[in-house]
Amino acid sequence: MSYGFIKKLDKVDKVDKEVMLGVDLASLSITSDFEGTGLNNHCAFTTATNIMKMMGFDQVTFDEVYRHIKSGPVLFMEPRLKKIIKNRKTSVNIKRKYFPKTMDMVRSIDQGHITAMLLVESVKSAHWVIVTGYAISVGEIYLKVFTNWYHELRYYKVNSGSKAVMSLEFFI
């Protein structure tokens, strides 16, 4: 399953603009970090863990997140994540958009907000990712996403290879 992720933009394309949230990719979790835990289809769990890390919460533990978000598929992750954050005596604002437009996520990144995106490749294949930035190349916008599979970013052109069915914008 590739969901339409691109490792690198075509070398002949010129990158006109590139914007990125300040993210230490090595500090984020990937799905293989949770092997042997009994989790499967756990991209929502991994995404929730990474959102908390990106928001600056210290010591995000497996048990803390697992109480609320287990194996997937998990369609409505945000109320569960909101509950975890509320347990830490902090509130978070979340904007949910169905079938988000590229500009929804570009605006979110420009405002410094963390955005998760649910992609559906087929009836049996869905995946949560985190949008960490974007690049504009020859007039086309590509989102930079953390796929939860590697400690590196991939590019994704919205609705290319899979359909973006939901986005969640997180900010305090």
Side-chain angles (χ1 to χ4, degrees), residues 59-96:
Q59 299 177 356
V60 179
T61 67
F62 174 86
D63 290 337
E64 176 184 33
V65 179
Y66 185 75
R67 275 193 302 271
H68 301 279
I69 303 172
K70 297 177 173 60
S71 292
V74 176
L75 182 58
F76 295 102
M77 173 182 55
E78 79 275 13
R80 299 171 189 198
L81 182 54
K82 198 171 190 173
K83 195 177 272 188
I84 298 168
I85 293 170
K86 186 178 179 182
N87 288 342
R88 288 186 172 223
K89 310 292 188 236
T90 304
S91 64
V92 63
N93 294 308
I94 303 172
K95 290 183 187 174
R96 181 192 314 155

PDB file of all heavy atoms in Angstrom, residues 59-96:
ATOM      1  N   GLN A  59       7.074  12.709  28.072  1.00  0.00           N
ATOM      2  CA  GLN A  59       6.869  11.320  28.477  1.00  0.00           C
ATOM      3  C   GLN A  59       5.491  10.788  28.076  1.00  0.00           C
ATOM      4  O   GLN A  59       4.681  10.403  28.926  1.00  0.00           O
ATOM      5  CB  GLN A  59       7.100  11.160  29.976  1.00  0.00           C
ATOM      6  CG  GLN A  59       8.496  11.531  30.391  1.00  0.00           C
ATOM      7  CD  GLN A  59       8.694  11.440  31.889  1.00  0.00           C
ATOM      8  OE1 GLN A  59       7.779  11.170  32.641  1.00  0.00           O
ATOM      9  NE2 GLN A  59       9.919  11.662  32.326  1.00  0.00           N
ATOM     10  N   VAL A  60       5.230  10.760  26.799  1.00  0.00           N
ATOM     11  CA  VAL A  60       4.004  10.159  26.294  1.00  0.00           C
ATOM     12  C   VAL A  60       4.206   8.652  26.355  1.00  0.00           C
ATOM     13  O   VAL A  60       5.117   8.114  25.734  1.00  0.00           O
ATOM     14  CB  VAL A  60       3.725  10.606  24.834  1.00  0.00           C
ATOM     15  CG1 VAL A  60       2.459   9.960  24.315  1.00  0.00           C
ATOM     16  CG2 VAL A  60       3.644  12.115  24.754  1.00  0.00           C
ATOM     17  N   THR A  61       3.383   7.966  27.147  1.00  0.00           N
ATOM     18  CA  THR A  61       3.596   6.535  27.351  1.00  0.00           C
ATOM     19  C   THR A  61       2.608   5.700  26.546  1.00  0.00           C
ATOM     20  O   THR A  61       1.500   6.135  26.231  1.00  0.00           O
ATOM     21  CB  THR A  61       3.448   6.149  28.841  1.00  0.00           C
ATOM     22  OG1 THR A  61       2.084   6.347  29.225  1.00  0.00           O
ATOM     23  CG2 THR A  61       4.378   6.976  29.721  1.00  0.00           C
ATOM     24  N   PHE A  62       3.016   4.490  26.264  1.00  0.00           N
ATOM     25  CA  PHE A  62       2.166   3.536  25.561  1.00  0.00           C
ATOM     26  C   PHE A  62       0.851   3.345  26.313  1.00  0.00           C
ATOM     27  O   PHE A  62      -0.220   3.422  25.723  1.00  0.00           O
ATOM     28  CB  PHE A  62       2.907   2.197  25.429  1.00  0.00           C
ATOM     29  CG  PHE A  62       2.054   1.105  24.840  1.00  0.00           C
ATOM     30  CD1 PHE A  62       1.953   0.960  23.465  1.00  0.00           C
ATOM     31  CD2 PHE A  62       1.349   0.236  25.654  1.00  0.00           C
ATOM     32  CE1 PHE A  62       1.153  -0.026  22.918  1.00  0.00           C
ATOM     33  CE2 PHE A  62       0.556  -0.757  25.114  1.00  0.00           C
ATOM     34  CZ  PHE A  62       0.458  -0.892  23.745  1.00  0.00           C
ATOM     35  N   ASP A  63       0.927   3.097  27.615  1.00  0.00           N
ATOM     36  CA  ASP A  63      -0.273   2.828  28.418  1.00  0.00           C
ATOM     37  C   ASP A  63      -1.253   4.002  28.396  1.00  0.00           C
ATOM     38  O   ASP A  63      -2.465   3.810  28.324  1.00  0.00           O
ATOM     39  CB  ASP A  63       0.087   2.499  29.869  1.00  0.00           C
ATOM     40  CG  ASP A  63       0.769   1.156  29.991  1.00  0.00           C
ATOM     41  OD1 ASP A  63       0.573   0.309  29.093  1.00  0.00           O
ATOM     42  OD2 ASP A  63       1.494   0.944  30.973  1.00  0.00           O
ATOM     43  N   GLU A  64      -0.720   5.217  28.473  1.00  0.00           N
ATOM     44  CA  GLU A  64      -1.580   6.401  28.489  1.00  0.00           C
ATOM     45  C   GLU A  64      -2.416   6.498  27.211  1.00  0.00           C
ATOM     46  O   GLU A  64      -3.618   6.758  27.253  1.00  0.00           O
ATOM     47  CB  GLU A  64      -0.707   7.651  28.646  1.00  0.00           C
ATOM     48  CG  GLU A  64      -1.465   8.951  28.582  1.00  0.00           C
ATOM     49  CD  GLU A  64      -0.553  10.161  28.653  1.00  0.00           C
ATOM     50  OE1 GLU A  64       0.587  10.108  28.153  1.00  0.00           O
ATOM     51  OE2 GLU A  64      -1.000  11.178  29.211  1.00  0.00           O
ATOM     52  N   VAL A  65      -1.783   6.287  26.072  1.00  0.00           N
ATOM     53  CA  VAL A  65      -2.490   6.394  24.797  1.00  0.00           C
ATOM     54  C   VAL A  65      -3.351   5.151  24.564  1.00  0.00           C
ATOM     55  O   VAL A  65      -4.484   5.250  24.101  1.00  0.00           O
ATOM     56  CB  VAL A  65      -1.496   6.613  23.628  1.00  0.00           C
ATOM     57  CG1 VAL A  65      -2.216   6.694  22.293  1.00  0.00           C
ATOM     58  CG2 VAL A  65      -0.670   7.880  23.860  1.00  0.00           C
ATOM     59  N   TYR A  66      -2.850   3.982  24.959  1.00  0.00           N
ATOM     60  CA  TYR A  66      -3.563   2.727  24.706  1.00  0.00           C
ATOM     61  C   TYR A  66      -4.908   2.657  25.427  1.00  0.00           C
ATOM     62  O   TYR A  66      -5.852   2.044  24.924  1.00  0.00           O
ATOM     63  CB  TYR A  66      -2.693   1.536  25.105  1.00  0.00           C
ATOM     64  CG  TYR A  66      -3.320   0.204  24.760  1.00  0.00           C
ATOM     65  CD1 TYR A  66      -3.341  -0.230  23.428  1.00  0.00           C
ATOM     66  CD2 TYR A  66      -3.895  -0.591  25.728  1.00  0.00           C
ATOM     67  CE1 TYR A  66      -3.930  -1.443  23.095  1.00  0.00           C
ATOM     68  CE2 TYR A  66      -4.481  -1.805  25.403  1.00  0.00           C
ATOM     69  CZ  TYR A  66      -4.488  -2.222  24.084  1.00  0.00           C
ATOM     70  OH  TYR A  66      -5.075  -3.408  23.750  1.00  0.00           O
ATOM     71  N   ARG A  67      -5.019   3.282  26.582  1.00  0.00           N
ATOM     72  CA  ARG A  67      -6.301   3.288  27.305  1.00  0.00           C
ATOM     73  C   ARG A  67      -7.427   3.865  26.457  1.00  0.00           C
ATOM     74  O   ARG A  67      -8.584   3.521  26.633  1.00  0.00           O
ATOM     75  CB  ARG A  67      -6.189   4.109  28.603  1.00  0.00           C
ATOM     76  CG  ARG A  67      -5.661   3.348  29.778  1.00  0.00           C
ATOM     77  CD  ARG A  67      -5.883   4.115  31.082  1.00  0.00           C
ATOM     78  NE  ARG A  67      -5.293   5.438  31.123  1.00  0.00           N
ATOM     79  CZ  ARG A  67      -4.058   5.704  31.536  1.00  0.00           C
ATOM     80  NH1 ARG A  67      -3.272   4.743  31.944  1.00  0.00           N
ATOM     81  NH2 ARG A  67      -3.619   6.937  31.551  1.00  0.00           N
ATOM     82  N   HIS A  68      -7.089   4.762  25.547  1.00  0.00           N
ATOM     83  CA  HIS A  68      -8.102   5.465  24.762  1.00  0.00           C
ATOM     84  C   HIS A  68      -8.117   5.075  23.282  1.00  0.00           C
ATOM     85  O   HIS A  68      -9.160   5.117  22.642  1.00  0.00           O
ATOM     86  CB  HIS A  68      -7.906   6.974  24.887  1.00  0.00           C
ATOM     87  CG  HIS A  68      -8.004   7.446  26.305  1.00  0.00           C
ATOM     88  ND1 HIS A  68      -9.203   7.658  26.923  1.00  0.00           N
ATOM     89  CD2 HIS A  68      -7.047   7.707  27.227  1.00  0.00           C
ATOM     90  CE1 HIS A  68      -8.995   8.042  28.171  1.00  0.00           C
ATOM     91  NE2 HIS A  68      -7.693   8.083  28.372  1.00  0.00           N
ATOM     92  N   ILE A  69      -6.960   4.769  22.730  1.00  0.00           N
ATOM     93  CA  ILE A  69      -6.860   4.459  21.298  1.00  0.00           C
ATOM     94  C   ILE A  69      -6.134   3.135  21.152  1.00  0.00           C
ATOM     95  O   ILE A  69      -4.940   3.053  21.394  1.00  0.00           O
ATOM     96  CB  ILE A  69      -6.107   5.563  20.532  1.00  0.00           C
ATOM     97  CG1 ILE A  69      -6.793   6.904  20.730  1.00  0.00           C
ATOM     98  CG2 ILE A  69      -6.001   5.203  19.044  1.00  0.00           C
ATOM     99  CD1 ILE A  69      -6.040   8.082  20.176  1.00  0.00           C
ATOM    100  N   LYS A  70      -6.857   2.138  20.740  1.00  0.00           N
ATOM    101  CA  LYS A  70      -6.270   0.807  20.583  1.00  0.00           C
ATOM    102  C   LYS A  70      -6.045   0.526  19.103  1.00  0.00           C
ATOM    103  O   LYS A  70      -5.797   1.430  18.330  1.00  0.00           O
ATOM    104  CB  LYS A  70      -7.184  -0.217  21.245  1.00  0.00           C
ATOM    105  CG  LYS A  70      -7.312   0.014  22.753  1.00  0.00           C
ATOM    106  CD  LYS A  70      -8.263  -0.948  23.398  1.00  0.00           C
ATOM    107  CE  LYS A  70      -8.295  -0.859  24.888  1.00  0.00           C
ATOM    108  NZ  LYS A  70      -8.678   0.369  25.505  1.00  0.00           N
ATOM    109  N   SER A  71      -6.151  -0.726  18.716  1.00  0.00           N
ATOM    110  CA  SER A  71      -5.995  -1.092  17.315  1.00  0.00           C
ATOM    111  C   SER A  71      -7.134  -0.512  16.482  1.00  0.00           C
ATOM    112  O   SER A  71      -8.232  -0.295  16.985  1.00  0.00           O
ATOM    113  CB  SER A  71      -5.976  -2.611  17.161  1.00  0.00           C
ATOM    114  OG  SER A  71      -4.811  -3.151  17.742  1.00  0.00           O
ATOM    115  N   GLY A  72      -6.857  -0.336  15.217  1.00  0.00           N
ATOM    116  CA  GLY A  72      -7.826   0.265  14.325  1.00  0.00           C
ATOM    117  C   GLY A  72      -8.594  -0.757  13.532  1.00  0.00           C
ATOM    118  O   GLY A  72      -8.532  -1.937  13.837  1.00  0.00           O
ATOM    119  N   PRO A  73      -9.301  -0.287  12.570  1.00  0.00           N
ATOM    120  CA  PRO A  73      -9.309   1.107  12.142  1.00  0.00           C
ATOM    121  C   PRO A  73     -10.064   2.021  13.113  1.00  0.00           C
ATOM    122  O   PRO A  73     -11.041   1.600  13.713  1.00  0.00           O
ATOM    123  CB  PRO A  73     -10.017   1.073  10.787  1.00  0.00           C
ATOM    124  CG  PRO A  73     -10.800  -0.194  10.786  1.00  0.00           C
ATOM    125  CD  PRO A  73     -10.117  -1.143  11.709  1.00  0.00           C
ATOM    126  N   VAL A  74      -9.538   3.228  13.275  1.00  0.00           N
ATOM    127  CA  VAL A  74     -10.142   4.231  14.159  1.00  0.00           C
ATOM    128  C   VAL A  74     -10.526   5.420  13.288  1.00  0.00           C
ATOM    129  O   VAL A  74      -9.662   6.122  12.780  1.00  0.00           O
ATOM    130  CB  VAL A  74      -9.157   4.670  15.271  1.00  0.00           C
ATOM    131  CG1 VAL A  74      -9.765   5.784  16.101  1.00  0.00           C
ATOM    132  CG2 VAL A  74      -8.761   3.493  16.140  1.00  0.00           C
ATOM    133  N   LEU A  75     -11.806   5.616  13.126  1.00  0.00           N
ATOM    134  CA  LEU A  75     -12.263   6.725  12.290  1.00  0.00           C
ATOM    135  C   LEU A  75     -12.246   8.040  13.073  1.00  0.00           C
ATOM    136  O   LEU A  75     -11.674   9.021  12.630  1.00  0.00           O
ATOM    137  CB  LEU A  75     -13.673   6.444  11.759  1.00  0.00           C
ATOM    138  CG  LEU A  75     -14.258   7.488  10.823  1.00  0.00           C
ATOM    139  CD1 LEU A  75     -13.376   7.695   9.601  1.00  0.00           C
ATOM    140  CD2 LEU A  75     -15.655   7.077  10.388  1.00  0.00           C
ATOM    141  N   PHE A  76     -12.852   8.044  14.258  1.00  0.00           N
ATOM    142  CA  PHE A  76     -12.938   9.280  15.036  1.00  0.00           C
ATOM    143  C   PHE A  76     -11.912   9.258  16.163  1.00  0.00           C
ATOM    144  O   PHE A  76     -12.199   8.878  17.284  1.00  0.00           O
ATOM    145  CB  PHE A  76     -14.362   9.485  15.558  1.00  0.00           C
ATOM    146  CG  PHE A  76     -15.336   9.695  14.445  1.00  0.00           C
ATOM    147  CD1 PHE A  76     -16.169   8.673  14.035  1.00  0.00           C
ATOM    148  CD2 PHE A  76     -15.371  10.902  13.773  1.00  0.00           C
ATOM    149  CE1 PHE A  76     -17.053   8.866  12.986  1.00  0.00           C
ATOM    150  CE2 PHE A  76     -16.247  11.105  12.720  1.00  0.00           C
ATOM    151  CZ  PHE A  76     -17.090  10.072  12.320  1.00  0.00           C
ATOM    152  N   MET A  77     -10.710   9.691  15.830  1.00  0.00           N
ATOM    153  CA  MET A  77      -9.603   9.692  16.769  1.00  0.00           C
ATOM    154  C   MET A  77      -9.640  10.913  17.687  1.00  0.00           C
ATOM    155  O   MET A  77      -9.230  10.841  18.840  1.00  0.00           O
ATOM    156  CB  MET A  77      -8.283   9.666  15.991  1.00  0.00           C
ATOM    157  CG  MET A  77      -7.061   9.822  16.853  1.00  0.00           C
ATOM    158  SD  MET A  77      -5.526   9.852  15.934  1.00  0.00           S
ATOM    159  CE  MET A  77      -5.762  11.136  14.757  1.00  0.00           C
ATOM    160  N   GLU A  78     -10.137  12.057  17.189  1.00  0.00           N
ATOM    161  CA  GLU A  78      -9.967  13.310  17.932  1.00  0.00           C
ATOM    162  C   GLU A  78     -10.653  13.335  19.290  1.00  0.00           C
ATOM    163  O   GLU A  78     -10.069  13.863  20.239  1.00  0.00           O
ATOM    164  CB  GLU A  78     -10.323  14.531  17.090  1.00  0.00           C
ATOM    165  CG  GLU A  78     -11.784  14.843  16.925  1.00  0.00           C
ATOM    166  CD  GLU A  78     -12.454  14.097  15.801  1.00  0.00           C
ATOM    167  OE1 GLU A  78     -11.889  13.134  15.253  1.00  0.00           O
ATOM    168  OE2 GLU A  78     -13.579  14.474  15.465  1.00  0.00           O
ATOM    169  N   PRO A  79     -11.865  12.769  19.507  1.00  0.00           N
ATOM    170  CA  PRO A  79     -12.424  12.827  20.867  1.00  0.00           C
ATOM    171  C   PRO A  79     -11.588  12.011  21.861  1.00  0.00           C
ATOM    172  O   PRO A  79     -11.459  12.377  23.025  1.00  0.00           O
ATOM    173  CB  PRO A  79     -13.836  12.257  20.735  1.00  0.00           C
ATOM    174  CG  PRO A  79     -14.015  11.824  19.341  1.00  0.00           C
ATOM    175  CD  PRO A  79     -12.790  12.179  18.562  1.00  0.00           C
ATOM    176  N   ARG A  80     -10.998  10.934  21.370  1.00  0.00           N
ATOM    177  CA  ARG A  80     -10.161  10.089  22.228  1.00  0.00           C
ATOM    178  C   ARG A  80      -8.865  10.811  22.598  1.00  0.00           C
ATOM    179  O   ARG A  80      -8.441  10.792  23.741  1.00  0.00           O
ATOM    180  CB  ARG A  80      -9.858   8.771  21.527  1.00  0.00           C
ATOM    181  CG  ARG A  80     -11.102   7.977  21.214  1.00  0.00           C
ATOM    182  CD  ARG A  80     -10.791   6.803  20.329  1.00  0.00           C
ATOM    183  NE  ARG A  80     -12.004   6.179  19.858  1.00  0.00           N
ATOM    184  CZ  ARG A  80     -12.046   4.963  19.355  1.00  0.00           C
ATOM    185  NH1 ARG A  80     -10.939   4.247  19.259  1.00  0.00           N
ATOM    186  NH2 ARG A  80     -13.182   4.460  18.935  1.00  0.00           N
ATOM    187  N   LEU A  81      -8.253  11.444  21.606  1.00  0.00           N
ATOM    188  CA  LEU A  81      -7.023  12.188  21.860  1.00  0.00           C
ATOM    189  C   LEU A  81      -7.300  13.396  22.748  1.00  0.00           C
ATOM    190  O   LEU A  81      -6.524  13.719  23.646  1.00  0.00           O
ATOM    191  CB  LEU A  81      -6.371  12.612  20.548  1.00  0.00           C
ATOM    192  CG  LEU A  81      -5.054  13.367  20.658  1.00  0.00           C
ATOM    193  CD1 LEU A  81      -4.036  12.608  21.497  1.00  0.00           C
ATOM    194  CD2 LEU A  81      -4.494  13.641  19.275  1.00  0.00           C
ATOM    195  N   LYS A  82      -8.425  14.034  22.525  1.00  0.00           N
ATOM    196  CA  LYS A  82      -8.810  15.185  23.349  1.00  0.00           C
ATOM    197  C   LYS A  82      -8.938  14.767  24.817  1.00  0.00           C
ATOM    198  O   LYS A  82      -8.538  15.496  25.725  1.00  0.00           O
ATOM    199  CB  LYS A  82     -10.117  15.767  22.830  1.00  0.00           C
ATOM    200  CG  LYS A  82     -10.403  17.164  23.285  1.00  0.00           C
ATOM    201  CD  LYS A  82     -11.604  17.728  22.538  1.00  0.00           C
ATOM    202  CE  LYS A  82     -11.719  19.199  22.824  1.00  0.00           C
ATOM    203  NZ  LYS A  82     -12.755  19.832  22.020  1.00  0.00           N
ATOM    204  N   LYS A  83      -9.463  13.581  25.063  1.00  0.00           N
ATOM    205  CA  LYS A  83      -9.620  13.062  26.425  1.00  0.00           C
ATOM    206  C   LYS A  83      -8.249  12.820  27.083  1.00  0.00           C
ATOM    207  O   LYS A  83      -8.047  13.137  28.252  1.00  0.00           O
ATOM    208  CB  LYS A  83     -10.416  11.751  26.395  1.00  0.00           C
ATOM    209  CG  LYS A  83     -10.931  11.322  27.746  1.00  0.00           C
ATOM    210  CD  LYS A  83     -11.773  10.059  27.623  1.00  0.00           C
ATOM    211  CE  LYS A  83     -13.197  10.435  27.353  1.00  0.00           C
ATOM    212  NZ  LYS A  83     -14.105   9.274  27.402  1.00  0.00           N
ATOM    213  N   ILE A  84      -7.294  12.290  26.307  1.00  0.00           N
ATOM    214  CA  ILE A  84      -5.941  12.063  26.829  1.00  0.00           C
ATOM    215  C   ILE A  84      -5.316  13.401  27.231  1.00  0.00           C
ATOM    216  O   ILE A  84      -4.731  13.537  28.305  1.00  0.00           O
ATOM    217  CB  ILE A  84      -5.049  11.362  25.785  1.00  0.00           C
ATOM    218  CG1 ILE A  84      -5.606   9.980  25.443  1.00  0.00           C
ATOM    219  CG2 ILE A  84      -3.609  11.252  26.291  1.00  0.00           C
ATOM    220  CD1 ILE A  84      -4.962   9.351  24.212  1.00  0.00           C
ATOM    221  N   ILE A  85      -5.441  14.399  26.364  1.00  0.00           N
ATOM    222  CA  ILE A  85      -4.859  15.711  26.633  1.00  0.00           C
ATOM    223  C   ILE A  85      -5.562  16.375  27.818  1.00  0.00           C
ATOM    224  O   ILE A  85      -4.917  16.987  28.671  1.00  0.00           O
ATOM    225  CB  ILE A  85      -4.898  16.583  25.360  1.00  0.00           C
ATOM    226  CG1 ILE A  85      -3.957  15.972  24.305  1.00  0.00           C
ATOM    227  CG2 ILE A  85      -4.518  18.024  25.658  1.00  0.00           C
ATOM    228  CD1 ILE A  85      -4.068  16.578  22.927  1.00  0.00           C
ATOM    229  N   LYS A  86      -6.877  16.227  27.912  1.00  0.00           N
ATOM    230  CA  LYS A  86      -7.635  16.794  29.039  1.00  0.00           C
ATOM    231  C   LYS A  86      -7.177  16.177  30.358  1.00  0.00           C
ATOM    232  O   LYS A  86      -7.113  16.855  31.387  1.00  0.00           O
ATOM    233  CB  LYS A  86      -9.133  16.552  28.838  1.00  0.00           C
ATOM    234  CG  LYS A  86      -9.997  17.223  29.871  1.00  0.00           C
ATOM    235  CD  LYS A  86     -11.472  16.991  29.577  1.00  0.00           C
ATOM    236  CE  LYS A  86     -12.323  17.665  30.637  1.00  0.00           C
ATOM    237  NZ  LYS A  86     -13.748  17.404  30.402  1.00  0.00           N
ATOM    238  N   ASN A  87      -6.822  14.882  30.347  1.00  0.00           N
ATOM    239  CA  ASN A  87      -6.302  14.230  31.551  1.00  0.00           C
ATOM    240  C   ASN A  87      -4.999  14.857  32.023  1.00  0.00           C
ATOM    241  O   ASN A  87      -4.620  14.712  33.181  1.00  0.00           O
ATOM    242  CB  ASN A  87      -6.093  12.729  31.315  1.00  0.00           C
ATOM    243  CG  ASN A  87      -7.397  11.976  31.226  1.00  0.00           C
ATOM    244  OD1 ASN A  87      -8.447  12.462  31.649  1.00  0.00           O
ATOM    245  ND2 ASN A  87      -7.345  10.778  30.650  1.00  0.00           N
ATOM    246  N   ARG A  88      -4.327  15.555  31.131  1.00  0.00           N
ATOM    247  CA  ARG A  88      -3.088  16.260  31.485  1.00  0.00           C
ATOM    248  C   ARG A  88      -3.374  17.708  31.888  1.00  0.00           C
ATOM    249  O   ARG A  88      -2.472  18.520  31.953  1.00  0.00           O
ATOM    250  CB  ARG A  88      -2.104  16.213  30.323  1.00  0.00           C
ATOM    251  CG  ARG A  88      -1.516  14.831  30.136  1.00  0.00           C
ATOM    252  CD  ARG A  88      -0.457  14.876  29.084  1.00  0.00           C
ATOM    253  NE  ARG A  88       0.239  13.598  29.017  1.00  0.00           N
ATOM    254  CZ  ARG A  88       1.556  13.503  28.904  1.00  0.00           C
ATOM    255  NH1 ARG A  88       2.302  14.589  28.843  1.00  0.00           N
ATOM    256  NH2 ARG A  88       2.113  12.329  28.844  1.00  0.00           N
ATOM    257  N   LYS A  89      -4.624  18.007  32.123  1.00  0.00           N
ATOM    258  CA  LYS A  89      -5.070  19.337  32.592  1.00  0.00           C
ATOM    259  C   LYS A  89      -4.780  20.439  31.578  1.00  0.00           C
ATOM    260  O   LYS A  89      -4.454  21.564  31.924  1.00  0.00           O
ATOM    261  CB  LYS A  89      -4.419  19.699  33.935  1.00  0.00           C
ATOM    262  CG  LYS A  89      -4.529  18.633  35.004  1.00  0.00           C
ATOM    263  CD  LYS A  89      -5.943  18.449  35.459  1.00  0.00           C
ATOM    264  CE  LYS A  89      -6.002  17.513  36.655  1.00  0.00           C
ATOM    265  NZ  LYS A  89      -6.837  16.375  36.519  1.00  0.00           N
ATOM    266  N   THR A  90      -4.888  20.090  30.307  1.00  0.00           N
ATOM    267  CA  THR A  90      -4.692  21.042  29.222  1.00  0.00           C
ATOM    268  C   THR A  90      -5.848  20.878  28.250  1.00  0.00           C
ATOM    269  O   THR A  90      -6.355  19.780  28.068  1.00  0.00           O
ATOM    270  CB  THR A  90      -3.363  20.758  28.480  1.00  0.00           C
ATOM    271  OG1 THR A  90      -2.294  20.777  29.423  1.00  0.00           O
ATOM    272  CG2 THR A  90      -3.086  21.785  27.415  1.00  0.00           C
ATOM    273  N   SER A  91      -6.257  21.959  27.630  1.00  0.00           N
ATOM    274  CA  SER A  91      -7.296  21.839  26.607  1.00  0.00           C
ATOM    275  C   SER A  91      -6.659  22.032  25.235  1.00  0.00           C
ATOM    276  O   SER A  91      -5.615  22.666  25.099  1.00  0.00           O
ATOM    277  CB  SER A  91      -8.410  22.854  26.837  1.00  0.00           C
ATOM    278  OG  SER A  91      -7.911  24.156  26.692  1.00  0.00           O
ATOM    279  N   VAL A  92      -7.299  21.480  24.246  1.00  0.00           N
ATOM    280  CA  VAL A  92      -6.800  21.580  22.878  1.00  0.00           C
ATOM    281  C   VAL A  92      -7.974  21.904  21.971  1.00  0.00           C
ATOM    282  O   VAL A  92      -9.095  21.453  22.205  1.00  0.00           O
ATOM    283  CB  VAL A  92      -6.092  20.266  22.452  1.00  0.00           C
ATOM    284  CG1 VAL A  92      -7.058  19.092  22.447  1.00  0.00           C
ATOM    285  CG2 VAL A  92      -5.416  20.407  21.106  1.00  0.00           C
ATOM    286  N   ASN A  93      -7.724  22.715  20.959  1.00  0.00           N
ATOM    287  CA  ASN A  93      -8.740  23.007  19.947  1.00  0.00           C
ATOM    288  C   ASN A  93      -8.514  22.076  18.770  1.00  0.00           C
ATOM    289  O   ASN A  93      -7.371  21.855  18.353  1.00  0.00           O
ATOM    290  CB  ASN A  93      -8.643  24.454  19.479  1.00  0.00           C
ATOM    291  CG  ASN A  93      -8.988  25.426  20.577  1.00  0.00           C
ATOM    292  OD1 ASN A  93     -10.036  25.295  21.204  1.00  0.00           O
ATOM    293  ND2 ASN A  93      -8.138  26.402  20.806  1.00  0.00           N
ATOM    294  N   ILE A  94      -9.596  21.538  18.243  1.00  0.00           N
ATOM    295  CA  ILE A  94      -9.505  20.628  17.102  1.00  0.00           C
ATOM    296  C   ILE A  94     -10.556  21.030  16.081  1.00  0.00           C
ATOM    297  O   ILE A  94     -11.721  21.196  16.420  1.00  0.00           O
ATOM    298  CB  ILE A  94      -9.732  19.164  17.527  1.00  0.00           C
ATOM    299  CG1 ILE A  94      -8.738  18.757  18.617  1.00  0.00           C
ATOM    300  CG2 ILE A  94      -9.613  18.233  16.317  1.00  0.00           C
ATOM    301  CD1 ILE A  94      -9.020  17.398  19.227  1.00  0.00           C
ATOM    302  N   LYS A  95     -10.110  21.203  14.838  1.00  0.00           N
ATOM    303  CA  LYS A  95     -11.031  21.462  13.736  1.00  0.00           C
ATOM    304  C   LYS A  95     -11.044  20.222  12.846  1.00  0.00           C
ATOM    305  O   LYS A  95      -9.990  19.770  12.392  1.00  0.00           O
ATOM    306  CB  LYS A  95     -10.572  22.656  12.902  1.00  0.00           C
ATOM    307  CG  LYS A  95     -10.692  23.985  13.586  1.00  0.00           C
ATOM    308  CD  LYS A  95     -10.275  25.087  12.629  1.00  0.00           C
ATOM    309  CE  LYS A  95     -10.218  26.426  13.324  1.00  0.00           C
ATOM    310  NZ  LYS A  95      -9.670  27.457  12.429  1.00  0.00           N
ATOM    311  N   ARG A  96     -12.225  19.692  12.618  1.00  0.00           N
ATOM    312  CA  ARG A  96     -12.372  18.528  11.740  1.00  0.00           C
ATOM    313  C   ARG A  96     -12.949  18.985  10.414  1.00  0.00           C
ATOM    314  O   ARG A  96     -13.889  19.771  10.373  1.00  0.00           O
ATOM    315  CB  ARG A  96     -13.302  17.508  12.374  1.00  0.00           C
ATOM    316  CG  ARG A  96     -13.484  16.269  11.519  1.00  0.00           C
ATOM    317  CD  ARG A  96     -14.605  15.362  11.954  1.00  0.00           C
ATOM    318  NE  ARG A  96     -14.644  15.107  13.372  1.00  0.00           N
ATOM    319  CZ  ARG A  96     -15.756  14.762  14.010  1.00  0.00           C
ATOM    320  NH1 ARG A  96     -16.899  14.674  13.366  1.00  0.00           N
ATOM    321  NH2 ARG A  96     -15.742  14.528  15.301  1.00  0.00           N
TER     322      ARG A  96
END
